Amino acid sequence: MTVGPFLVLVIATAATVSFANAGSPRSSNKCADLKPESLVRGKVESVSDGDTARVTIGGKSVRIRMLSIDTPEVNFQGMSQGEWGDKASAHLKTILTPGTAVTVEVGEQACDVNGRTLGYIWKGDLNTNLHMIEEGLAVNYCIFPNLKYCEDFAEAADVSIQEKKGIFSDSAKVELPYEWRRQMSNRPFDKYIGDIYSYEVYDPGSYGEVSIANRVFFMKKKDVDKPFEFVK
């Protein structure tokens, strides 16, 4: 299992953002100006759901979408996935309490289309993204190019699925969040699906070709490159 990034952080001072000590953090819906793949230290401001938090970095309130995981929704276009969305959100709030010191490891792609910073939130040596999968409160959701920990996340998801833990339990009956959102938005299948181990890639909607834990997604056909390749 991958360990925390703190030995790297000690020498990576150029990638570290200092905090402002006075005043309230400035909130913005624009993506923070953080270097891709950098390590930045901050303090938790709040948690909005099981995979999104606000972290104060350099005196600014930065909205972090936790990379490579997906938790049941609590408010998507005014709709909710019910108790498991609430459980995921509540659990993350017990880990990332306001004022908690964290390190955000920014993704290779640093921002999403909603202006959120994409990253892994480390609390000490705990990768909270991975932890949510291990607790059965999130499914792995790796999207190119942010694939750094995808094998770790796949292993954790496979264990949670095999143990029927949390959202994967027989009684949960929870739709995978990314599929639930697609259905609620009445969108067609739009992401190519790859296998993190075999590197085989299939057309959008080919869920039956790749097990849940092994899935990695590509937004565009041109994103698929070696070692990944389309199945002919």
Side-chain angles (χ1 to χ4, degrees):
M1 194 60 67
T2 307
V3 297
F6 292 97
L7 289 177
V8 178
L9 181 61
V10 171
I11 62 174
T13 54
T16 303
V17 177
S18 61
F19 310 137
N21 293 321
S24 300
R26 301 187 300 277
S27 179
S28 173
N29 288 326
K30 294 183 179 180
C31 196
D33 185 20
L34 298 176
K35 183 180 179 181
E37 300 184 276
S38 64
L39 300 171
V40 292
R41 290 181 289 187
K43 290 187 177 181
V44 175
E45 182 181 334
S46 62
V47 168
S48 56
D49 58 28
D51 53 32
T52 311
R54 279 195 176 274
V55 177
T56 303
I57 300 172
K60 295 182 179 180
S61 178
V62 180
R63 192 164 52 139
I64 308 294
R65 174 55 168 89
M66 295 166 67
L67 270 176
S68 302
I69 69 170
D70 206 9
T71 61
E73 295 289 345
V74 295
N75 184 9
F76 176 75
Q77 299 178 356
M79 297 174 286
S80 167
Q81 286 190 266
E83 67 169 323
W84 285 103
D86 294 335
K87 286 181 177 180
S89 179
H91 184 73
L92 189 61
K93 287 177 180 178
T94 67
I95 302 170
L96 301 181
T97 56
T100 298
V102 296
T103 297
V104 176
E105 182 178 356
V106 182
E108 182 176 341
Q109 177 185 329
C111 300
D112 71 3
V113 296
N114 297 312
R116 299 175 297 185
T117 295
L118 300 172
Y120 309 95
I121 300 179
W122 294 85
K123 178 183 176 182
D125 285 332
L126 177 68
N127 183 329
T128 58
N129 304 45
L130 177 61
H131 172 78
M132 293 298 287
I133 299 175
E134 292 174 333
E135 292 297 303
L137 296 171
V139 65
N140 55 318
Y141 190 41
C142 288
I143 301 177
F144 177 87
N146 295 314
L147 307 182
K148 182 173 182 179
Y149 299 112
C150 283
E151 289 192 14
D152 290 343
F153 286 21
E155 291 174 10
D158 186 58
V159 171
S160 289
I161 292 169
Q162 295 301 320
E163 294 182 351
K164 298 183 178 181
K165 196 171 186 178
I167 64 173
F168 305 108
S169 64
D170 291 335
S171 60
K173 297 180 181 179
V174 181
E175 189 83 46
L176 294 176
Y178 53 78
E179 176 57 15
W180 182 84
R181 288 192 301 273
R182 186 194 68 80
Q183 293 177 12
M184 294 302 101
S185 301
N186 197 29
R187 290 185 288 106
F189 292 104
D190 56 0
K191 298 179 184 68
Y192 296 90
I193 305 172
D195 189 305
I196 194 62
Y197 296 112
S198 72
Y199 303 122
E200 296 175 333
V201 180
Y202 300 86
D203 288 334
S206 302
Y207 287 145
E209 301 294 339
V210 184
S211 65
I212 292 172
N214 291 10
R215 291 174 186 169
V216 57
F217 295 91
F218 299 85
M219 298 297 293
K220 300 177 181 179
K221 192 171 185 177
K222 68 179 182 179
D223 292 336
V224 179
D225 198 2
K226 297 291 186 181
F228 291 94
E229 59 183 5
F230 284 98
V231 173
K232 296 180 181 180

